[in-house]
């Protein structure tokens, strides 16, 4: 259990956008545009070509407005300043990392979301989100290609005595080829997130649609459900028991998916992946259930060691990734060891990103072509 | 066009929760519980057995916190008062109408959402929502019955040069009986809302699941997309042109749905319904396209007159409803006239509700058994 405590610290303290903003003397280019994940018609927050973010919040009678994103001064984050029109405005002290970031606004000591931004489930609540345009953003852009569907399902769960929610991505060909069956990837979110994270902030459906349109992958189904991780508090990792979630996933969700979707319902055609704490869950469950999954992926979520793999013939792929601002040496060393032990292992390090969704979007793009190869 | 201006005024001024709160001298029963649409683990907002709502917002340095819901004093809504712990608390001055209400919080002059509540798209933005338990809430409760799926689709739209989003409810039997085909209801939201409204605040999937489980309806598919209504501002109704949305719906969405879902793709098996401004859209499009839809429903969204129906043999059902706090006489008189003209018309008035989602949830429950009867 000590191992998990150590992993939790890595999960929760890795540098995200907060600590990577670059303070600099270069001048700010005034080409700010609304973030692509703003609410309809909202002008703020904005982002410029250098990756600076600018916020504007109306609160005419407030004494203090601070945004949690960015490298700020004494107050942390980005302090906003009040204009004569009652709007508070402020710009990050430097460029933010490319990709998606969560944030919130503190108004007179109360924590609220930015009324201009869409909300995304992270930190065990719906938070504001902002997109810093990335040099490689085409791979998760909405394009004029055939689109798969994302289905909300409610599956019966006897062990938790309720109907539980999951989202299922089906590729474009699923609704066209009514007799074809597909492999399945079970894909987990991280701590503080839920089953909406991979399709909302992760853009899993657009990443898949684009890869399929380019002929880079064999179409497969992706299933995302809540990993029951959010009861874990700081330092409480040792008390986390995998069994309740493993039961939901293996004994309840998988049979429901196999009964209600045209899956290829066997071990060679079933993979599991997870980010951060979802990686820890993937690690434990794949090792506990070698006859259920054949392909494993940990995204910023720990490593496998060769000694852990009891029957190497049952493992077709191990994929381990992280951001360059995390601990890439650990990932690369682990994969080297797995390869030396005769396993099909692949590492990936996302350049200039931390423990955030841009790392995981890229990881999925790298992982998908490796899955279900034969 | 004058007619539509009059309808818009009805849409936007009908009494909702704001004006129906009852001021009274009765004492408040202290059995408050968290609203069922709170964010995970959040204790506030709360509701008691009398339908009073209580709010609590942390903002230790604020000067004023007001919730837009409820019949308040000079400030409108419900004024909150600061406690020693930095939390502002307040209770509505009376019982709220049963069902779902939108609201927001004004903190020192800035408009924010309540951090305790889930958000729902209304008023052209994501707003806080609260549920006042209703005496008939079982019909939209999550129960241990087979559940249909709600699919997010992205369909190609040449006329608007993008991929547009819609949600598709498929009944539980859709994924089980792989050769069966189903009729389709196209169901529109109101002004300020979008394609998420019917499944989030409307609970369309649970209403359908429960009706199907009770054997009260023939299973059918429901398709919900954005009605492009939110460009309309106060008094701008005369400038609303139906053609852009009619093209998206009839020439782009319907062919996509018929190609990608197992529909019965003909007029007798296609219905259209809408609430409020979605009713106006339904009214216009069904009259423009009598060979596309055979069954029409307006929920708090105007009426049909016999003179408007050119070929009565093509219309299998007209359903018109509203809340008792709206204009039920107009609905009942219209349906009487339609019946006298030989049409199969049905009226429904939701008791003790206004221009809000409880009226529309109940309307759907009444409408569904009447659709696709043969």
């Amino acid at each position: 259990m000590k191992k998990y405590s150590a992993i939790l610290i890595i999960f929760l303290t890795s540098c995200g956008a907060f600590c990577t903003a670059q303070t600099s003397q270069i001048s700010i280019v005034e080409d700010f545009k609304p973030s692509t994940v703003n609410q309809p018609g909202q002008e703020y927050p904005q982002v410029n070509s250098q990756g600076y973010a600018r916020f504007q919040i109306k609160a005419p009678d407030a004494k203090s407005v601070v945004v949690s994103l960015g490298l700020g001064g004494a107050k942390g984050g980005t302090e906003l300043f009040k204009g004569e029109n009652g709007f508070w405005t402020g710009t990050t002290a430097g460029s933010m990392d490319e990709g998606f970031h969560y944030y919130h606004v503190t108004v007179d000591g109360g924590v609220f979301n930015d009324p201009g931004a869409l909300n995304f489930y992270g930190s065990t609540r719906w938070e504001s989100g902002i997109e810093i345009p990335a040099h490689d953003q085409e791979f998760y852009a909405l394009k004029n290609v055939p689109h798969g569907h994302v289905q909300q399902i409610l599956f019966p769960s006897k062990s938790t005595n309720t109907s539980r929610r999951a989202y299922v991505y089906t590729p474009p060909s699923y609704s066209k080829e009514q007799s074809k069956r597909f492999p399945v990837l079970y894909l987990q979110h991280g701590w503080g997130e839920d089953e909406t994270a991979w399709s909302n902030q992760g853009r899993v459906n657009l990443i898949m649609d684009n890869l399929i349109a380019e002929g880079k992958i064999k179409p497969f189904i992706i299933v995302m459900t809540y990993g029951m991780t959010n009861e874990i508090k700081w330092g409480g990792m040792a008390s986390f028991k995998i069994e309740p979630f493993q039961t939901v996933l293996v004994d309840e969700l998988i049979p429901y998916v196999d009964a209600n979707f045209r899956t290829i319902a066997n071990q060679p055609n079933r993979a599991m992946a997870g980010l951060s704490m979802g990686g820890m869950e993937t690690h434990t469950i794949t090792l506990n259930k070698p006859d259920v999954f054949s392909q494993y992926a940990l995204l910023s979520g720990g490593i496998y060691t060769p000694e852990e793999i009891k029957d190497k013939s049952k493992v077709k792929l191990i994929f381990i990734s992280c951001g360059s601002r995390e601990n890439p040496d650990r990932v690369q060393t682990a994969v080297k060891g797995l390869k030396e032990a005769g396993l099909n292992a692949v590492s990936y390090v996302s350049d200039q990103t931390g423990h955030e969704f841009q790392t995981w979007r890229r990881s999925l793009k790298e992982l998908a072509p490796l899955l279900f190869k034969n």
Side-chain angles (χ1 to χ4, degrees), chain A:
Chain A
M1 280 302 142
K2 209 167 184 182
K3 182 175 60 183
Y4 287 157
S5 300
I7 292 171
L8 182 66
I9 290 166
I10 294 167
F11 291 156
L12 298 180
T13 63
S14 293
C15 265
F18 298 176
C19 45
T20 59
Q22 307 287 319
T23 48
S24 65
Q25 301 304 317
I26 60 170
S27 60
I28 297 176
V29 179
E30 286 297 331
D31 58 356
F32 285 87
K33 290 177 188 159
S35 158
T36 56
V37 291
N38 280 2
Q39 294 203 30
Q42 295 297 312
E43 286 296 309
Y44 286 89
Q46 298 189 339
V47 187
N48 80 352
S49 56
Q50 299 163 297
Y52 285 66
R54 180 170 288 170
F55 304 92
Q56 186 170 89
I57 306 280
K58 184 186 173 194
D61 304 324
K63 287 192 289 285
S64 164
V65 180
V66 180
V67 169
S68 64
L69 194 72
L71 183 65
K75 296 201 175 183
T78 298
E79 196 172 355
L80 309 193
F81 298 94
K82 189 177 167 181
E84 288 178 7
N85 55 4
F87 286 84
W88 295 70
T89 307
T91 306
T92 54
S95 316
M96 308 305 300
D97 276 353
E98 293 185 346
F100 174 86
H101 309 296
Y102 298 106
Y103 73 100
H104 57 260
V105 184
T106 302
V107 180
D108 285 350
V111 173
F112 299 94
N113 285 325
D114 183 340
L118 289 176
N119 298 328
F120 300 84
Y121 200 80
S123 308
T124 73
R125 60 194 186 84
W126 290 90
E127 279 215 310
S128 300
I130 190 169
E131 278 285 345
I132 307 298
H135 71 282
D136 57 348
Q137 64 191 3
E138 281 298 304
F139 82 83
Y140 52 86
L142 176 65
K143 294 184 184 174
N144 186 18
V145 299
H147 295 291
H149 299 167
V150 178
Q151 311 198 22
Q152 178 197 283
I153 66 171
L154 294 168
F155 64 98
S157 166
K158 278 190 186 169
S159 71
T160 61
N161 197 28
T162 187
S163 294
R164 303 186 68 85
R165 188 170 68 170
Y167 289 91
V168 179
Y169 168 82
T170 55
S173 53
Y174 186 87
S175 58
K176 296 284 188 190
E177 300 171 36
Q178 290 277 338
S179 59
K180 199 176 167 190
R181 303 186 80 87
F182 296 81
V184 186
L185 167 65
Y186 289 82
L187 182 61
Q188 290 306 125
H189 59 84
W191 182 86
E193 298 168 342
D194 70 6
E195 65 273 25
T196 64
W198 266 108
S199 47
N200 285 349
Q201 47 269 51
R203 302 209 182 190
V204 69
N205 55 324
L206 300 180
I207 294 170
M208 290 292 289
D209 292 345
N210 292 336
L211 287 170
I212 291 167
E214 291 169 19
K216 289 188 177 163
I217 65 168
K218 186 174 163 178
F220 54 86
I221 292 169
I222 300 180
V223 178
M224 300 153 278
T225 197
Y226 176 52
M228 302 163 71
T229 56
N230 293 346
E231 300 308 305
I232 316 302
K233 308 294 178 198
W234 269 101
M237 194 68 184
S239 67
F240 184 74
K241 298 272 184 294
I242 196 69
E243 288 73 18
F245 175 57
Q246 182 174 288
T247 298
V248 167
L249 178 70
V250 175
D251 300 335
E252 297 171 345
L253 178 56
I254 291 178
Y256 181 88
V257 169
D258 285 338
N260 285 277
F261 292 86
R262 297 193 314 277
T263 64
I264 309 174
N266 58 31
Q267 190 259 14
N269 288 287
R270 203 181 288 120
M272 184 173 181
L275 72 87
S276 195
M277 269 194 64
M280 180 279 285
E281 296 184 323
T282 299
H283 175 265
T284 309
I285 292 173
T286 52
L287 293 176
N288 285 351
K289 299 286 178 181
D291 293 323
V292 176
F293 304 99
S294 58
Q295 292 153 79
Y296 316 163
L298 311 181
L299 321 181
S300 307
I303 60 166
Y304 290 92
T305 62
E307 300 72 39
E308 293 173 318
I309 315 288
K310 292 203 184 80
D311 184 347
K312 293 184 175 57
S313 70
K314 289 185 176 169
V315 183
K316 288 168 72 180
L317 172 72
I318 294 179
F319 177 94
I320 308 180
S321 74
C322 70
S324 64
R325 301 197 200 286
E326 300 189 271
N327 194 341
D329 286 350
R330 182 162 180 261
V331 164
Q332 286 161 335
T333 304
V335 164
K336 189 162 171 281
L338 292 164
K339 279 179 168 171
E340 285 168 3
L343 287 148
N344 176 28
V346 176
S347 67
Y348 169 69
V349 175
S350 166
D351 194 34
Q352 310 277 349
T353 61
H355 201 72
E356 291 194 283
F357 249 103
Q358 192 70 0
T359 298
W360 306 320
R361 290 170 176 168
R362 289 176 180 168
S363 295
L364 180 68
K365 172 176 166 266
E366 299 297 321
L367 169 65
L370 307 175
L371 292 172
F372 313 118
K373 295 277 274 191
N374 43 45

